[in-house]
Amino acid sequence: MTEDVPVGSRFVIPAAELRERFSRSSGPGGQGVNTTDSRVELSFDVARSAVVPPSLRARILDRLSGRLVDGVLTIAASEHRSQLHNRDAARERLAEVLLKASVPPPAQRRPTKPSRGSKERRLAAKKRRSAVKRSRGGRFDD
């Protein structure tokens, strides 16, 4: 039943490193709404996991610092009436969150100056526009 969670092509979280807790979910459920533990809380210890590469671990811990409690990431899923569907949804969401957090930062922007030609073209266009507006000025002769 439990299966490993692939996080893109970066790494795979084995099912043994995941902890699941089940509880009663709010919302629709018909007759079984108060008896079925369909809500799923999926926990993964990012800080102590052996499968997360050290370079990615630092990046993930930094980017998810607001969501982690003692290095543990917890995902809750209760949108489906079925526990099985909620388990799948929680695993998908865990993989998505970890994948987004492990994306490398964008390349740093290299500051550039406008070329001389582009400056001259911009100023020439401003002068043309200024001349058009100046020529519109109606003279009031009394």
Side-chain angles (χ1 to χ4, degrees):
M1 180 68 219
T2 59
E3 55 192 45
D4 299 344
V5 178
V7 180
S9 61
R10 301 184 196 290
F11 57 94
V12 176
I13 303 170
E17 289 200 15
L18 299 173
R19 286 190 308 278
E20 290 178 320
R21 271 187 45 203
F22 306 102
S23 59
R24 293 199 181 121
S25 177
S26 63
Q31 291 176 326
V33 71
N34 293 325
T35 59
T36 309
D37 290 340
S38 60
R39 180 175 187 265
V40 177
E41 277 188 20
L42 186 64
S43 299
F44 173 60
D45 193 345
V46 180
R48 292 172 198 76
S49 175
V51 296
V52 181
S55 59
L56 290 181
R57 180 180 295 124
R59 189 181 302 155
I60 291 171
L61 289 173
D62 182 49
R63 290 187 181 167
L64 296 179
S65 61
R67 291 187 67 168
L68 299 176
V69 177
D70 295 330
V72 177
L73 175 64
T74 302
I75 303 287
S78 61
E79 57 267 11
H80 301 286
R81 288 173 56 171
S82 156
Q83 186 186 88
L84 184 63
H85 288 123
N86 282 331
R87 288 174 91 176
D88 292 339
R91 286 170 183 271
E92 286 175 21
R93 215 173 307 144
L94 175 71
E96 183 181 318
V97 167
L98 289 173
L99 187 64
K100 282 184 181 175
S102 66
V103 169
Q108 196 134 18
R109 182 189 170 275
R110 217 186 273 150
T112 58
K113 286 195 250 179
S115 67
R116 188 168 145 197
S118 69
K119 285 182 192 174
E120 289 172 359
R121 285 189 298 275
R122 182 179 60 86
L123 292 175
K126 286 177 79 161
K127 284 182 182 172
R128 276 194 306 275
R129 187 74 185 143
S130 171
V132 166
K133 288 186 173 189
R134 218 177 314 119
S135 69
R136 278 192 205 138
R139 304 277 191 286
F140 294 106
D141 295 333
D142 284 333

